[in-house]
Amino acid sequence: MAENNHFIERSLMAVLVLFKESIFSEDCASRKGFLQARDPRVKALMIFVLLLAALFSRSIPFIAGIYGFCLVLALVSSIDILFFWERTLFFIPFFSLFIAAPALFNIFTPGEPLASFHLFGMAVSITKQGAASAGIFFLRVLTSVSLCVLLALTTRHSVLLKVLRVFKVPQIFVMIMGMCYRYIYLFMEIIQDTYTAIKSRCGNISSSARGRKIVAGNIANLWRRSYDMHNQVYSAMISRGYSGEPKVMDEFRAGLKDWLCLGVTLSVFILSLWQNQYLN
Amino acid sequence: MHIPDGYLGPATCAVMYAAMLPIWTAAAKIVKKRLKAKQAPLLAIGAAFSFVIMMFNVPIPGGSTGHAVGGVLAAIILGPWAACIAITVALVIQALLFGDGGITAIGANCFNMAFVLPFIGYYIYRLAGSGSQVGSGRRVIAAGIGAYLGINIAALCAGVEFGLQPLFHHTTNGLALYCPYGLKATVTAMLGGHLLIFGWIEAIVTASVIKYLQKKFPEMLYEEGAA
């Protein structure tokens, strides 16, 4: 019977995980460290350029080098490396490893055999080309995820949203994102409170059909409350002087160290383009 | 369905960004025209709603649970253009602030989940429910069909995007550089999971929420397609 309560536990867990990640991110972003001290605009550009370098590169050692650089950046930015691995290795890269595994075999990637064996009476071999293909795919995904997480861990989320203005994202979108970000936490609190109340009042949910009804009711009620709220929020904005044109306060200042870092990452990107051409 | 960085090559990422640019521009113009000054808080709340829908785990037969994407549901209650913006904002926040989903793949993710999913699902819902009352059972079934087909067509798009990678991006000796599987494998894998499991979850959640709204808050459905 308790199995039918899994959906409540898992929903509560999803909310808690997001809260936990967010608290850890804010904690990391407020520590003293190399990336925390960088101008957020330059830092975002650096990470984006490194992402592009990893995306364009065709060489396993080169992408491994970028990943190594990413780990060094994490270390000098006061991020516990075990926590960083826990945050970056699981889920997307692990899932990608699972996806990449069949590409090792000659069924998907024919080529020079590295190891051969029989599977269900069929001759199967791991090919050199398959290993290279799966390896570059996994390493690229791992490096990209690590870079994105590094940016999120070393920059306050509110600052990161302001940085979007550098990339010429229209102010209205930046404002919507900022508001949305705050509402996500409010909604998560609502979900947490609602499910805790259901759990304490209903005990076990007798069937999965009843469970689905509860979820549908909760989603519909959340939307109803959200819709009602938007009028109140708009009235609050008007009363605080909103005239239809949002203003974002930018107080970023880039120093020599920031520009040097950007120069280094741009060189990495140019190198990736060059070796891309060379390897082609 | 959420494509991380590294799965798609630079050319595909660029093309998907380019494909989304006119859609985002049109969505911004249409929503601004129809929702006027109140657009910002409604869209922000809609985006947050799209984000948290994925946190509602739904019990499925056999004791397991799954979650819906909610793209078609967002389109039915917000309208497809506003849903497009709301889902885009949710995806950007997810990629940028939470490190889930790719930054370079935002164009592709938005094309699949903020354009194909809500638009296909919404217009199938409108077509299947045309001529019926807003509170009718036919609308509930139409919402379920729209959600099921919408998510499957979006999954097909993702499968095609993955499957094109070995064709577009490989070394001279044929080594795949990004997603290593061809169209046959990726389309089968993406459609298999969605046709059998995820599509049904999406359909059940969407239809159940529409049924609940019909019963408890029918006035919310009268505004469908406002944007």
Side-chain angles (χ1 to χ4, degrees):
Chain A
M1 271 251 290
E3 278 203 348
N4 289 324
N5 275 6
H6 273 178
F7 73 98
I8 294 182
E9 304 292 345
R10 287 190 184 173
S11 302
L12 283 171
M13 194 55 79
V15 171
L16 282 175
V17 165
L18 207 73
F19 269 133
K20 191 182 143 195
E21 276 179 11
S22 176
I23 290 165
F24 267 115
S25 295
E26 288 295 312
D27 176 47
C28 284
S30 54
R31 284 180 202 160
K32 280 188 178 175
F34 180 76
L35 281 177
Q36 288 89 336
R38 303 281 65 80
D39 181 295
R41 296 169 299 175
V42 175
K43 182 168 45 181
L45 261 174
M46 274 170 61
I47 299 289
F48 188 64
V49 166
L50 285 174
L51 259 177
L52 287 182
L55 193 68
F56 275 93
S57 178
R58 294 172 170 220
S59 146
I60 291 181
F62 191 88
I63 302 176
I66 298 177
Y67 182 62
F69 184 52
C70 179
L71 290 183
V72 171
L73 283 176
L75 276 171
V76 294
S77 303
S78 317
I79 296 171
D80 177 20
I81 207 72
L82 288 177
F83 164 72
F84 188 69
W85 273 330
E86 186 194 323
R87 179 84 174 76
T88 54
L89 270 172
F90 292 109
F91 197 60
I92 297 175
F94 215 68
F95 178 70
S96 303
L97 193 64
F98 178 71
I99 286 184
L104 291 168
F105 302 99
N106 61 342
I107 305 163
F108 285 101
T109 322
E112 196 182 320
L114 279 177
S116 299
F117 49 92
H118 284 270
L119 197 71
F120 304 115
M122 222 168 59
V124 179
S125 58
I126 293 175
T127 63
K128 198 177 164 186
Q129 287 80 355
S133 191
I136 199 166
F137 172 69
F138 171 70
L139 200 58
R140 199 194 310 275
V141 173
L142 175 65
T143 307
S144 306
V145 169
S146 302
L147 287 167
C148 292
V149 170
L150 194 62
L151 178 66
L153 283 179
T154 56
T155 323
R156 282 179 182 276
H157 289 175
S158 52
V159 173
L160 203 50
L161 286 174
K162 280 186 199 171
V163 167
L164 288 174
R165 290 289 296 134
V166 176
F167 298 102
K168 299 287 171 202
V169 175
Q171 260 182 355
I172 187 79
F173 277 96
V174 176
M175 195 183 77
I176 290 171
M177 279 179 207
M179 288 170 75
C180 169
Y181 180 67
R182 287 174 188 88
Y183 285 123
I184 286 169
Y185 289 98
L186 180 70
F187 288 176
M188 285 199 304
E189 263 184 53
I190 294 175
I191 297 171
Q192 202 176 21
D193 291 348
T194 313
Y195 273 158
T196 308
I198 291 171
K199 213 178 145 190
S200 56
R201 284 173 199 176
C202 299
N204 280 329
I205 309 299
S206 54
S207 68
S208 55
R210 168 116 179 85
R212 282 193 291 276
K213 265 189 187 173
I214 288 174
V215 175
N218 274 306
I219 295 175
N221 270 304
L222 182 65
W223 174 246
R224 172 76 208 184
R225 289 167 81 166
S226 318
Y227 194 84
D228 287 346
M229 197 190 295
H230 101 266
N231 283 322
Q232 296 164 15
V233 172
Y234 183 68
S235 304
M237 284 164 70
I238 293 288
S239 65
R240 285 171 196 180
Y242 175 69
S243 59
E245 274 302 312
K247 286 185 176 65
V248 181
M249 287 165 72
D250 288 328
E251 290 167 5
F252 301 134
R253 275 197 187 93
L256 184 66
K257 270 188 185 173
D258 297 309
W259 296 119
L260 273 173
C261 289
L262 187 62
V264 169
T265 49
L266 277 171
S267 311
V268 172
F269 177 58
I270 291 164
L271 202 63
S272 84
L273 289 181
W274 175 80
Q275 60 95 26
N276 190 355
Q277 197 70 23
Y278 173 74
L279 283 179
N280 204 22
Chain B
M1 180 106 60
H2 226 121
I3 305 173
D5 284 311
Y7 277 59
L8 304 178
T12 315
C13 292
V15 166
M16 298 316 284
Y17 265 107
M20 276 312 291
L21 214 58
I23 298 167
W24 284 325
T25 311
K29 273 185 187 165
I30 291 166
V31 170
K32 197 173 180 179
K33 204 167 131 189
R34 294 194 184 167
L35 288 181
K36 294 176 186 162
K38 287 186 178 181
Q39 62 177 324
L42 181 62
L43 285 178
I45 287 168
F49 180 72
S50 306
F51 188 97
V52 297
I53 282 180
M54 284 183 260
M55 302 215 159
F56 285 100
N57 275 271
V58 188
I60 51 177
S64 189
T65 65
H67 71 80
V69 177
V72 179
L73 179 64
I76 293 172
I77 54 185
L78 278 171
W81 291 105
C84 177
I85 293 182
I87 298 168
T88 297
V89 168
L91 287 172
V92 171
I93 286 181
Q94 214 164 358
L96 210 62
L97 305 188
F98 295 98
D100 296 330
I103 292 177
T104 55
I106 283 175
N109 280 326
C110 287
F111 182 81
N112 302 335
M113 287 193 275
F115 176 62
V116 174
L117 173 63
F119 275 83
I120 299 265
Y122 178 75
Y123 284 107
I124 287 171
Y125 161 76
R126 289 290 297 264
L127 196 71
S130 65
S132 64
Q133 294 290 317
V134 172
S136 68
R138 200 169 133 197
R139 288 284 179 123
V140 175
I141 295 165
I145 295 170
Y148 184 78
L149 293 177
I151 199 160
N152 275 293
I153 295 170
L156 174 69
C157 290
V160 170
E161 287 152 20
F162 287 142
L164 288 175
Q165 298 317 299
L167 286 175
F168 291 155
H169 308 283
H170 53 79
T171 57
T172 42
N173 57 357
L175 181 77
L177 292 163
Y178 301 93
C179 180
Y181 307 107
L183 275 170
K184 206 173 156 186
T186 56
V187 169
T188 310
M190 286 303 290
L191 273 185
H194 286 84
L195 282 169
L196 296 174
I197 305 165
F198 307 118
W200 292 107
I201 296 175
E202 195 72 21
I204 289 167
V205 170
T206 309
S208 306
V209 175
I210 294 300
K211 192 178 173 189
Y212 191 92
L213 285 172
Q214 281 180 341
K215 202 171 153 190
K216 301 277 181 186
F217 313 114
E219 73 281 3
M220 307 270 336
L221 290 169
Y222 292 128
E223 293 187 8
E224 67 186 10

